[in-house]
Amino acid sequence: MNLQDFKKIFTDYGGAISPEQLEPLAEFAPDLPLGVKVGYGLRFVTSAKNFKSDLENNIKYQREAHNVEQYVRDVFVPCSAYDQVRNIFGWNNKE
């Protein structure tokens, strides 16, 4: 991922992260907070670098504790981080 691809997350996609962006994002901005909406259970926040392991732990917990198969509904940059990144780089919706 380069800076232009990173910028698109904040200017074109409204903070939404696609599955294809997760690995490159973890390499480019490993400490970027990510919110995860899952099919069952509570939403959780992780970092780009910990997304995969935290998701695996959540899936395992939901299976063992509640006997449900977990799935990801949405991955996004939480509002506080979204606003902070946009302010740091000076990116606004009119670009």
Side-chain angles (χ1 to χ4, degrees):
M1 177 170 285
N2 59 35
L3 187 58
Q4 282 301 97
D5 294 332
F6 184 69
K7 181 180 180 181
K8 286 180 183 179
I9 293 170
F10 296 90
T11 59
D12 295 353
Y13 307 135
I17 309 294
S18 70
E20 299 81 25
Q21 292 172 311
L22 287 167
E23 191 172 320
L25 183 60
E27 293 174 12
F28 186 81
D31 295 322
L32 181 70
L34 297 179
V36 183
K37 281 194 257 184
V38 291
Y40 303 98
L42 301 173
R43 297 175 183 185
F44 65 93
V45 176
T46 185
S47 65
K49 69 181 172 194
N50 293 331
F51 173 82
K52 187 175 180 178
S53 63
D54 287 350
L55 178 61
E56 288 170 358
N57 291 337
N58 184 279
I59 288 170
K60 181 180 177 186
Y61 170 77
Q62 291 296 333
R63 187 180 308 118
E64 291 173 358
H66 303 289
N67 197 30
V68 294
E69 288 299 320
Q70 192 66 280
Y71 62 95
V72 176
R73 290 180 15 203
D74 196 14
V75 180
F76 57 94
V77 178
C79 290
S80 57
Y82 179 82
D83 290 342
Q84 187 176 28
V85 169
R86 287 174 57 90
N87 287 333
I88 288 169
F89 285 99
W91 298 332
N92 60 43
N93 292 332
K94 296 179 182 178
E95 289 187 75

